[in-house]
Coordinates of all heavy atoms in Angstrom, one line a residue:
M1 N -16.5 13.7 6.1 CA -16.0 12.8 5.1 C -16.2 13.3 3.7 O -17.3 13.8 3.5 CB -16.5 11.3 5.2 CG -15.5 10.4 5.9 SD -16.2 8.8 5.7 CE -15.0 8.0 6.9
G2 N -15.2 13.2 2.8 CA -15.5 13.6 1.5 C -16.1 12.5 0.6 O -16.3 11.4 1.1
L3 N -16.1 12.8 -0.7 CA -16.6 11.7 -1.6 C -15.6 10.5 -1.6 O -16.0 9.4 -1.6 CB -16.7 12.2 -2.9 CG -17.3 11.4 -4.0 CD1 -18.6 10.9 -3.6 CD2 -17.4 11.9 -5.4
I4 N -14.3 10.8 -1.7 CA -13.2 9.9 -1.7 C -12.4 10.1 -0.5 O -11.8 11.1 -0.3 CB -12.5 9.7 -2.9 CG1 -13.3 9.4 -4.2 CG2 -11.3 8.8 -2.8 CD1 -13.8 8.1 -4.3
D5 N -12.1 9.2 0.5 CA -11.3 9.3 1.5 C -10.2 8.1 1.6 O -10.6 7.1 1.2 CB -12.0 9.4 2.9 CG -12.9 10.6 3.0 OD1 -12.3 11.7 3.0 OD2 -14.1 10.6 3.1
I6 N -9.0 8.4 2.1 CA -8.1 7.3 2.3 C -7.7 7.4 3.8 O -7.2 8.5 4.3 CB -7.0 7.5 1.5 CG1 -7.3 7.4 0.0 CG2 -5.8 6.5 1.8 CD1 -6.3 7.6 -1.0
V7 N -7.8 6.3 4.4 CA -7.5 6.1 5.9 C -6.3 5.2 5.9 O -6.3 4.2 5.4 CB -8.7 5.5 6.6 CG1 -8.2 5.4 8.2 CG2 -9.9 6.3 6.5
T8 N -5.2 5.7 6.7 CA -4.1 4.8 6.8 C -3.7 4.4 8.2 O -4.2 5.0 9.2 CB -2.9 5.7 6.3 OG1 -2.6 6.7 7.2 CG2 -2.9 6.1 4.9
R9 N -3.1 3.3 8.3 CA -2.6 2.9 9.6 C -1.3 2.0 9.4 O -1.1 1.4 8.4 CB -3.6 2.0 10.3 CG -3.9 0.7 9.7 CD -5.0 -0.1 10.4 NE -5.6 -1.2 9.7 CZ -5.3 -2.4 10.0 NH1 -4.5 -2.8 10.9 NH2 -5.7 -3.4 9.2
D10 N -0.4 2.1 10.4 CA 0.8 1.4 10.5 C 0.5 0.0 11.0 O -0.3 -0.1 11.9 CB 1.8 2.0 11.3 CG 2.4 3.4 10.8 OD1 2.4 3.5 9.5 OD2 2.7 4.3 11.5
T11 N 1.1 -1.0 10.3 CA 0.9 -2.4 10.8 C 2.3 -2.9 11.0 O 3.4 -2.3 10.8 CB 0.2 -3.3 9.9 OG1 1.0 -3.3 8.7 CG2 -1.1 -2.6 9.5
D12 N 2.5 -4.1 11.6 CA 3.6 -4.8 11.7 C 4.3 -5.2 10.4 O 5.5 -5.4 10.3 CB 3.6 -6.0 12.7 CG 2.7 -7.1 12.1 OD1 1.7 -6.7 11.2 OD2 2.7 -8.2 12.5
R13 N 3.6 -5.1 9.3 CA 4.1 -5.5 8.0 C 4.5 -4.2 7.2 O 5.3 -4.3 6.3 CB 3.1 -6.2 7.2 CG 2.9 -7.6 7.7 CD 1.7 -8.2 6.9 NE 1.9 -8.1 5.5 CZ 2.3 -8.9 4.6 NH1 2.6 -10.1 4.9 NH2 2.3 -8.5 3.3
G14 N 3.8 -3.0 7.6 CA 4.0 -1.9 6.7 C 3.0 -0.8 6.9 O 2.6 -0.6 8.1
V15 N 2.4 -0.4 5.8 CA 1.3 0.6 5.9 C 0.2 -0.1 5.1 O 0.3 -0.5 4.0 CB 1.8 1.9 5.3 CG1 0.6 2.9 5.3 CG2 2.9 2.5 6.1
T16 N -1.1 0.1 5.7 CA -2.4 -0.3 5.0 C -3.1 1.0 4.8 O -3.2 1.7 5.8 CB -3.0 -1.3 5.8 OG1 -2.1 -2.5 6.0 CG2 -4.3 -1.8 5.2
C17 N -3.7 1.1 3.7 CA -4.7 2.1 3.5 C -6.0 1.6 3.1 O -6.1 0.8 2.2 CB -4.2 3.1 2.4 SG -2.5 3.6 2.6
A18 N -7.1 2.1 3.5 CA -8.4 1.9 3.1 C -8.9 3.0 2.2 O -8.8 4.3 2.6 CB -9.4 1.7 4.2
V19 N -9.5 2.7 1.0 CA -10.0 3.7 0.1 C -11.5 3.6 0.3 O -12.1 2.6 0.1 CB -9.7 3.4 -1.3 CG1 -10.2 4.5 -2.2 CG2 -8.2 3.3 -1.5
L20 N -12.1 4.8 0.8 CA -13.5 4.9 1.1 C -14.3 5.8 0.0 O -13.6 6.9 -0.3 CB -13.7 5.4 2.4 CG -13.1 4.7 3.5 CD1 -13.1 5.5 4.9 CD2 -13.5 3.3 3.7
C21 N -15.4 5.4 -0.4 CA -16.2 6.3 -1.3 C -17.6 6.4 -0.6 O -18.3 5.5 -0.4 CB -16.4 5.6 -2.7 SG -17.4 6.6 -3.8
S22 N -17.9 7.6 -0.2 CA -19.1 8.0 0.5 C -19.1 7.0 1.8 O -20.3 6.5 2.1 CB -20.4 7.9 -0.4 OG -20.2 8.8 -1.4
G23 N -18.1 6.9 2.5 CA -18.1 6.0 3.7 C -18.0 4.5 3.5 O -17.8 3.8 4.5
Q24 N -18.1 4.0 2.3 CA -18.0 2.7 2.0 C -16.7 2.2 1.5 O -16.1 2.9 0.6 CB -19.1 2.2 1.0 CG -20.5 2.4 1.4 CD -21.1 1.2 2.4 OE1 -20.2 0.9 3.2 NE2 -22.2 0.8 2.1
Q25 N -16.1 1.3 2.0 CA -14.7 0.8 1.6 C -14.8 0.2 0.2 O -15.6 -0.6 0.0 CB -14.1 -0.1 2.5 CG -12.7 -0.5 2.0 CD -12.0 -1.3 3.3 OE1 -12.3 -1.5 4.3 NE2 -10.8 -1.9 2.7
I26 N -14.0 0.7 -0.7 CA -14.0 0.2 -2.1 C -12.8 -0.6 -2.5 O -12.7 -1.3 -3.5 CB -14.3 1.2 -3.2 CG1 -13.3 2.4 -3.2 CG2 -15.8 1.8 -2.9 CD1 -13.5 3.4 -4.2
A27 N -11.7 -0.3 -1.7 CA -10.4 -1.0 -2.1 C -9.5 -0.8 -0.9 O -9.7 0.0 0.1 CB -9.8 -0.4 -3.3
S28 N -8.4 -1.5 -0.8 CA -7.4 -1.3 0.2 C -6.0 -1.4 -0.6 O -5.8 -2.1 -1.6 CB -7.5 -2.2 1.3 OG -7.3 -3.5 0.9
L29 N -5.0 -0.8 0.1 CA -3.7 -0.8 -0.4 C -2.7 -1.2 0.7 O -3.0 -0.9 1.8 CB -3.2 0.6 -0.9 CG -4.2 1.3 -1.9 CD1 -4.9 2.5 -1.2 CD2 -3.3 1.6 -3.1
E30 N -1.6 -2.0 0.4 CA -0.7 -2.4 1.3 C 0.7 -2.1 0.8 O 0.9 -2.5 -0.2 CB -0.9 -3.8 1.8 CG 0.1 -4.3 2.7 CD 0.0 -5.8 3.1 OE1 0.0 -6.6 2.1 OE2 0.0 -6.1 4.2
F31 N 1.5 -1.5 1.6 CA 2.9 -1.2 1.2 C 3.8 -1.8 2.2 O 3.6 -1.5 3.5 CB 3.2 0.3 1.2 CG 2.1 0.9 0.1 CD1 1.1 1.7 0.6 CD2 2.5 1.0 -1.2 CE1 0.3 2.3 -0.3 CE2 1.7 1.7 -2.0 CZ 0.5 2.3 -1.6
V32 N 4.7 -2.7 1.8 CA 5.7 -3.4 2.7 C 7.1 -3.0 2.2 O 7.4 -3.1 1.0 CB 5.5 -4.7 2.8 CG1 6.5 -5.5 3.6 CG2 4.1 -5.1 3.2
K33 N 7.9 -2.5 3.2 CA 9.4 -2.3 2.8 C 10.2 -3.6 3.3 O 10.2 -3.9 4.4 CB 9.9 -1.1 3.4 CG 11.4 -0.8 3.1 CD 11.9 0.5 3.7 CE 13.3 0.8 3.2 NZ 14.2 0.5 4.2
I34 N 11.0 -4.2 2.3 CA 11.8 -5.3 2.6 C 13.0 -5.1 2.0 O 13.1 -4.8 0.7 CB 11.3 -6.7 2.0 CG1 9.9 -6.9 2.6 CG2 12.2 -7.8 2.2 CD1 9.3 -8.2 2.1
N35 N 14.1 -4.8 2.7 CA 15.4 -4.4 2.3 C 15.3 -3.1 1.5 O 14.9 -2.1 2.0 CB 16.2 -5.6 1.6 CG 16.4 -6.7 2.4 OD1 16.7 -6.5 3.7 ND2 16.2 -7.9 2.0
N36 N 15.7 -3.2 0.3 CA 15.7 -2.0 -0.7 C 14.5 -2.1 -1.5 O 14.6 -1.5 -2.7 CB 17.0 -1.7 -1.3 CG 17.9 -1.0 -0.4 OD1 17.7 -0.6 0.7 ND2 19.2 -0.8 -1.0
Y37 N 13.5 -2.7 -1.2 CA 12.2 -2.9 -2.0 C 10.9 -2.4 -1.4 O 10.9 -2.6 -0.2 CB 12.0 -4.3 -2.5 CG 13.2 -4.9 -3.2 CD1 14.2 -5.6 -2.6 CD2 13.3 -4.6 -4.7 CE1 15.3 -6.1 -3.4 CE2 14.4 -5.1 -5.4 CZ 15.4 -5.8 -4.7 OH 16.4 -6.3 -5.4
I38 N 10.1 -1.8 -2.1 CA 8.8 -1.5 -1.6 C 7.8 -2.4 -2.4 O 7.8 -2.4 -3.7 CB 8.3 0.0 -1.9 CG1 9.2 0.9 -1.0 CG2 6.8 0.2 -1.5 CD1 9.1 0.8 0.4
I39 N 7.1 -3.3 -1.7 CA 6.2 -4.1 -2.4 C 4.7 -3.6 -2.1 O 4.5 -3.4 -0.9 CB 6.4 -5.6 -1.8 CG1 7.8 -6.1 -2.1 CG2 5.3 -6.6 -2.4 CD1 8.2 -7.4 -1.4
G40 N 3.9 -3.5 -3.1 CA 2.7 -2.9 -2.9 C 1.6 -3.8 -3.5 O 1.8 -4.5 -4.6
H41 N 0.5 -3.9 -2.9 CA -0.8 -4.6 -3.4 C -2.0 -3.6 -3.3 O -2.0 -2.8 -2.5 CB -1.0 -5.7 -2.5 CG -0.2 -6.9 -2.6 ND1 1.0 -6.9 -1.8 CD2 -0.1 -8.0 -3.3 CE1 1.7 -8.0 -2.1 NE2 1.0 -8.6 -3.0
V42 N -2.8 -3.8 -4.3 CA -4.1 -3.1 -4.3 C -5.2 -4.1 -4.4 O -5.1 -5.0 -5.2 CB -4.3 -2.2 -5.5 CG1 -5.8 -1.4 -5.6 CG2 -3.2 -1.1 -5.6
Y43 N -6.1 -4.3 -3.3 CA -7.0 -5.3 -3.2 C -8.3 -4.7 -3.4 O -8.7 -3.5 -3.1 CB -6.9 -5.8 -1.7 CG -5.7 -6.5 -1.3 CD1 -4.8 -5.8 -0.5 CD2 -5.4 -7.8 -1.8 CE1 -3.5 -6.4 -0.2 CE2 -4.1 -8.4 -1.5 CZ -3.3 -7.7 -0.6 OH -2.0 -8.2 -0.2
D44 N -9.4 -5.5 -3.9 CA -10.7 -5.1 -4.0 C -11.4 -5.3 -2.7 O -10.7 -5.9 -1.7 CB -11.5 -5.7 -5.2 CG -11.7 -7.2 -5.1 OD1 -11.3 -7.8 -4.0 OD2 -12.1 -7.7 -6.1
I45 N -12.6 -5.1 -2.5 CA -13.3 -5.3 -1.2 C -13.4 -6.8 -0.7 O -13.6 -7.1 0.4 CB -14.6 -4.6 -1.1 CG1 -15.6 -5.2 -2.2 CG2 -14.5 -3.1 -1.1 CD1 -17.0 -4.6 -2.1
D46 N -13.3 -7.7 -1.7 CA -13.3 -9.2 -1.4 C -11.9 -9.7 -1.2 O -11.9 -10.8 -0.9 CB -13.9 -9.9 -2.6 CG -15.4 -9.4 -2.9 OD1 -16.1 -9.2 -1.9 OD2 -15.8 -9.4 -4.0
G47 N -11.0 -8.8 -1.2 CA -9.5 -9.4 -0.8 C -8.8 -9.8 -2.0 O -7.7 -10.4 -1.9
E48 N -9.3 -9.6 -3.2 CA -8.7 -10.2 -4.5 C -7.7 -9.2 -4.8 O -7.9 -8.0 -4.9 CB -9.7 -10.5 -5.6 CG -10.7 -11.5 -5.3 CD -10.1 -12.9 -5.3 OE1 -9.2 -13.2 -6.1 OE2 -10.6 -13.7 -4.5
T49 N -6.4 -9.6 -5.2 CA -5.3 -8.7 -5.7 C -5.8 -8.2 -7.1 O -6.0 -8.9 -7.9 CB -4.1 -9.4 -5.7 OG1 -3.8 -9.8 -4.4 CG2 -3.0 -8.4 -6.2
L50 N -5.8 -6.8 -7.1 CA -6.0 -6.1 -8.4 C -4.7 -5.8 -9.0 O -4.6 -6.0 -10.3 CB -6.8 -4.9 -8.3 CG -8.2 -5.2 -7.6 CD1 -8.9 -3.7 -7.4 CD2 -9.2 -6.0 -8.6
V51 N -3.8 -5.3 -8.4 CA -2.4 -4.8 -8.7 C -1.4 -5.2 -7.7 O -1.6 -5.1 -6.6 CB -2.5 -3.2 -9.0 CG1 -1.0 -2.8 -9.5 CG2 -3.5 -2.9 -10.0
K52 N -0.2 -5.7 -8.1 CA 1.0 -6.1 -7.4 C 2.1 -5.3 -8.0 O 2.2 -5.5 -9.3 CB 1.1 -7.5 -7.2 CG 2.4 -7.8 -6.3 CD 2.6 -9.3 -6.1 CE 3.8 -9.5 -5.2 NZ 4.0 -10.9 -5.1
F53 N 2.9 -4.6 -7.2 CA 4.0 -4.0 -7.8 C 5.2 -4.1 -6.9 O 5.1 -4.1 -5.7 CB 3.8 -2.5 -8.3 CG 3.3 -1.6 -7.1 CD1 4.4 -0.9 -6.5 CD2 2.1 -1.6 -6.7 CE1 4.0 0.0 -5.4 CE2 1.8 -0.8 -5.7 CZ 2.8 0.0 -5.1
V54 N 6.5 -4.0 -7.3 CA 7.7 -3.9 -6.6 C 8.4 -2.7 -7.1 O 8.6 -2.6 -8.3 CB 8.4 -5.3 -6.8 CG1 9.8 -5.2 -6.1 CG2 7.6 -6.4 -6.4
E55 N 9.0 -1.9 -6.3 CA 9.7 -0.7 -6.6 C 11.0 -0.9 -5.9 O 11.1 -1.2 -4.8 CB 9.0 0.5 -6.2 CG 9.6 1.8 -6.4 CD 9.8 2.2 -7.9 OE1 8.9 1.6 -8.7 OE2 10.7 2.7 -8.4
T56 N 12.2 -0.7 -6.6 CA 13.5 -0.7 -6.0 C 13.9 0.6 -5.6 O 13.8 1.6 -6.2 CB 14.6 -1.2 -6.9 OG1 14.1 -2.5 -7.5 CG2 15.9 -1.3 -6.4
L57 N 14.2 0.7 -4.2 CA 14.8 2.0 -3.7 C 16.3 2.2 -4.0 O 17.0 1.2 -3.8 CB 14.5 2.0 -2.1 CG 13.2 2.1 -1.7 CD1 13.0 1.8 -0.2 CD2 12.4 3.2 -2.1
E58 N 16.7 3.3 -4.4 CA 18.1 3.5 -4.6 C 18.6 4.2 -3.3 O 17.9 4.6 -2.4 CB 18.3 4.5 -5.7 CG 17.7 4.1 -7.1 CD 18.4 2.9 -7.7 OE1 19.5 2.6 -7.4 OE2 17.7 2.1 -8.3
E59 N 20.0 4.1 -3.1 CA 20.6 4.7 -2.0 C 20.2 6.0 -1.6 O 20.0 6.4 -0.5 CB 22.1 4.6 -2.1 CG 22.6 3.1 -1.9 CD 24.2 3.1 -1.9 OE1 24.7 4.0 -1.3 OE2 24.6 2.3 -2.4
Y60 N 20.0 6.9 -2.7 CA 19.6 8.4 -2.4 C 18.1 8.4 -2.3 O 17.7 9.6 -1.9 CB 20.1 9.1 -3.7 CG 19.6 8.6 -5.0 CD1 18.2 9.0 -5.4 CD2 20.4 7.7 -5.7 CE1 17.8 8.6 -6.6 CE2 19.8 7.4 -7.1 CZ 18.6 7.8 -7.4 OH 18.1 7.3 -8.6
D61 N 17.3 7.5 -2.3 CA 15.9 7.7 -2.1 C 15.6 7.9 -0.6 O 16.2 7.4 0.2 CB 15.1 6.3 -2.5 CG 14.8 6.3 -3.9 OD1 15.1 7.2 -4.7 OD2 14.5 5.1 -4.4
E62 N 14.7 8.9 -0.4 CA 14.3 9.2 0.9 C 13.7 8.0 1.6 O 12.9 7.2 1.1 CB 13.3 10.3 0.9 CG 12.9 10.8 2.2 CD 12.0 12.1 2.0 OE1 12.3 12.8 1.2 OE2 11.1 12.1 2.9
G63 N 14.0 7.8 2.8 CA 13.3 6.8 3.6 C 14.1 5.5 3.8 O 13.8 4.6 4.4
T64 N 15.3 5.3 3.1 CA 16.1 4.2 3.2 C 17.1 4.4 4.4 O 17.4 5.4 4.8 CB 16.9 3.9 2.0 OG1 17.8 5.0 1.7 CG2 16.1 3.5 0.9
S65 N 17.2 3.2 5.1 CA 18.2 3.3 6.2 C 19.1 2.0 6.2 O 18.7 1.1 5.7 CB 17.4 3.4 7.4 OG 16.5 2.4 7.7

C-alpha cells in the first residue's frame, strides 16, 4: 500500500471508492448513474456529506447507453 490508496467496488447503486491514507480510511466517494446524469458524493469518515455534485452526460459522452 502507498501513502494514498483508492479502493473501488461496484454496488447495486453505482461505484463506491474508499480513500485510504497509510491504511486508514479518510473519505469515501460514491458515483451513481441515473438516466443521463452522474450524481456524486464525497463523504468524510463519519458519513457526513462534504461535496455533492451532478454532471450531465451528453449523447457523445463515453459510457452512455
Side-chain angles (χ1 to χ4, degrees):
M1 265 193 184
L3 182 61
I4 300 289
D5 291 298
I6 298 178
V7 180
T8 63
R9 68 182 166 104
D10 292 329
T11 68
D12 58 339
R13 292 177 42 105
V15 176
T16 300
C17 306
V19 181
L20 308 169
C21 180
S22 298
Q24 298 279 46
Q25 185 170 348
I26 58 171
S28 61
L29 305 113
E30 180 182 52
F31 302 97
V32 179
K33 182 177 183 258
I34 300 174
N35 298 321
N36 279 356
Y37 299 96
I38 298 291
I39 301 169
H41 289 87
V42 178
Y43 301 102
D44 67 10
I45 58 172
D46 296 323
E48 297 291 323
T49 301
L50 300 174
V51 177
K52 179 180 179 182
F53 62 90
V54 177
E55 182 69 29
T56 303
L57 296 173
E58 301 295 330
E59 284 187 38
Y60 55 85
D61 282 345
E62 186 176 317
T64 58
S65 57

